[in-house]
Amino acid sequence: MFGMHGLHPGEVVPTFELFMAHKHLLDRGQVLAVWAELLKGGGQGALLHRINDIRGKERRVFSALQAEAGPTGQVDHVRGFMVDVTQSLRIESQDAAQEAIERVYAHRDLIEQAKGIVMALRGIDGPAAFDVLAAASQQTNAKLHVVAENLVEAAARGTAAEHLAGLLNLH
């Protein structure tokens, strides 16, 4: 806990106020709600939230808590652990972004080809052709690359004009 906050054991006296002061402003309410529920009579709680270390660096952490009530029903001690998941989440986010970019580029040529077909058939520019494909995607509830693929396949069969007319009649 000390290390995640940029501190060394014995450097400060850990208090609930100090603990909460390092919670990210937008996550404090959620953290307080978990604590309030636990202090009502014990139990377990867990949450993913952000903290700020003493240098102001934001970290994503997972906290798990166990509050135990004594014979009177009042919580007499809480124990738990906190795990810094900042790097793991950063890697996961980067991987997801990379996959999304690759998916977009995987279909880019196909979408560009379909745009060209729409431009030729309708006598419109690229952005307007994209709007036609995007509208057809929404109307048919199909992914844009599927609409593009179907149009390109129709063009290969010589039925692009009919296929496009069918798409445009959906609106």
Side-chain angles (χ1 to χ4, degrees):
M1 289 277 288
F2 283 96
M4 278 186 248
H5 289 86
L7 300 165
H8 299 287
E11 192 173 348
V12 296
V13 175
T15 64
F16 188 74
E17 290 75 23
L18 180 62
F19 174 75
M20 288 305 298
H22 285 278
K23 299 301 176 199
H24 189 281
L25 184 61
L26 297 176
D27 293 343
R28 287 181 188 164
Q30 179 187 16
V31 172
L32 285 172
V34 169
W35 275 93
E37 189 64 31
L38 290 175
L39 294 176
K40 284 183 185 175
Q44 299 174 347
L47 70 153
L48 183 65
H49 62 286
R50 295 166 287 184
I51 63 169
N52 296 310
D53 68 15
I54 60 170
R55 291 175 302 283
K57 182 179 177 186
E58 184 178 298
R59 298 179 179 277
R60 298 289 306 243
V61 296
F62 172 77
S63 297
L65 303 164
Q66 172 77 37
E68 295 188 22
T72 64
Q74 186 153 355
V75 172
D76 52 17
H77 69 276
V78 177
R79 62 177 173 244
F81 62 90
M82 184 182 290
V83 178
D84 187 343
V85 294
T86 306
Q87 186 65 18
S88 297
L89 290 175
R90 183 176 297 123
I91 290 168
E92 187 175 307
S93 294
Q94 288 171 340
D95 289 348
Q98 183 64 36
E99 287 175 17
I101 290 168
E102 287 171 4
R103 280 194 308 272
V104 167
Y105 281 108
H107 303 296
R108 184 182 65 180
D109 291 341
L110 184 66
I111 293 168
E112 288 299 318
Q113 194 174 3
K115 274 177 43 182
I117 293 167
V118 174
M119 290 166 62
L121 291 173
R122 304 293 293 179
I124 57 178
D125 65 7
F130 182 83
D131 290 345
V132 168
L133 293 171
S137 171
Q138 288 182 333
Q139 290 293 322
T140 60
N141 198 25
K143 293 190 181 278
L144 182 63
H145 76 273
V146 172
V147 170
E149 182 177 24
N150 290 339
L151 181 58
V152 169
E153 288 173 358
R157 292 189 307 269
T159 60
E162 295 84 1
H163 185 79
L164 184 59
L167 289 175
L168 296 176
N169 287 333
L170 291 174
H171 323 335

